[in-house]
């Protein structure tokens, strides 16, 4: 589950602290055996870009990628409720789940922000992790495939989440920008020391946790 914390860090707003942590992130991600080799290569590409590019450019691209529209938003409820009243109540309910477990959000951070959810799950039992990821896996897949279509290296994080969950890999949409081959994590960093989804009802876990968190629209 520690890998979820690493992926949460990679999805966060680029900062001096993030860039400084890249060698350690590379080392730890390279040791994650649940990741497919293609996912490892894609993560290496993302890490290389974060290491190589100017920080201001990285921040500008991050905002353009994740904050300029709903299609690739990192706020999960935007993909379900949009700006409707239901989103507000879903936020309250998700925040209540966090507080019940002693998890405190950063100042001004919304509870449906994916890095926040991943950080929360990094400290939870494996069964709960599986349940919540299963519930929102369709959102992760949709966002990941949109990122592939736009040529964004951040698609690697979503590929990694699907790998950890044991789900089918991301599919590159027709006409997607083909990324250049990236070196392996070791080569690039060798100097480094709830109903979320349509099938969620099929899982018995739905009876073992609160039912109020919804990541698909309510039926009319």
């Amino acid at each position: 589950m520690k890998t979820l914390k690493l992926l949460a860090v990679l999805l966060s707003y680029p900062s001096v602290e993030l860039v400084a942590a890249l060698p350690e992130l590379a080392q730890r991600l390279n040791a994650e055996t649940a990741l497919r080799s293609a996912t490892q290569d894609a993560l290496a590409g993302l890490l290389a870009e974060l290491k190589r590019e100017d920080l201001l450019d990285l921040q500008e691209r991050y905002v353009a990628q994740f904050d300029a529209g709903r299609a690739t938003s990192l706020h999960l409820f935007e993909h379900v409720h949009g700006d409707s009243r239901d989103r507000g109540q879903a936020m309250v309910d998700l925040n209540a789940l966090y507080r019940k477990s002693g998890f405190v959000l950063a100042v001004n951070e919304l509870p449906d922000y994916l890095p926040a959810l991943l950080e929360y799950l990094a400290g939870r039992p494996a069964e709960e992790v599986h349940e919540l990821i299963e519930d929102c896996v369709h959102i992760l897949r949709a966002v990941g495939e949109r990122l592939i279509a736009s040529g964004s290296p951040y698609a690697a994080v979503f590929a990694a989440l699907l790998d950890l969950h044991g789900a089918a890999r991301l599919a590159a949409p027709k006409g997607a920008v083909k990324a250049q081959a990236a070196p392996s994590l070791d080569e690039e960093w060798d100097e480094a020391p709830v109903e979320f989804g349509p099938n969620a009802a099929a899982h018995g876990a739905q009876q073992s946790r609160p039912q109020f968190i919804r990541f698909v629209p309510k039926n009319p």
Side-chain angles (χ1 to χ4, degrees), residues 175-218:
V177 177
K178 185 176 181 181
Q180 293 182 347
S184 70
L185 291 175
D186 278 338
E187 291 171 339
E188 180 63 30
W189 298 95
D190 56 5
E191 78 280 7
V194 144
E195 183 177 359
F196 288 100
N199 298 320
H203 295 267
Q206 289 288 50
Q207 283 125 39
S208 65
R209 62 178 173 80
Q211 299 293 306
F212 50 70
I213 301 172
R214 302 182 61 88
F215 281 71
V216 294
K218 294 181 180 179

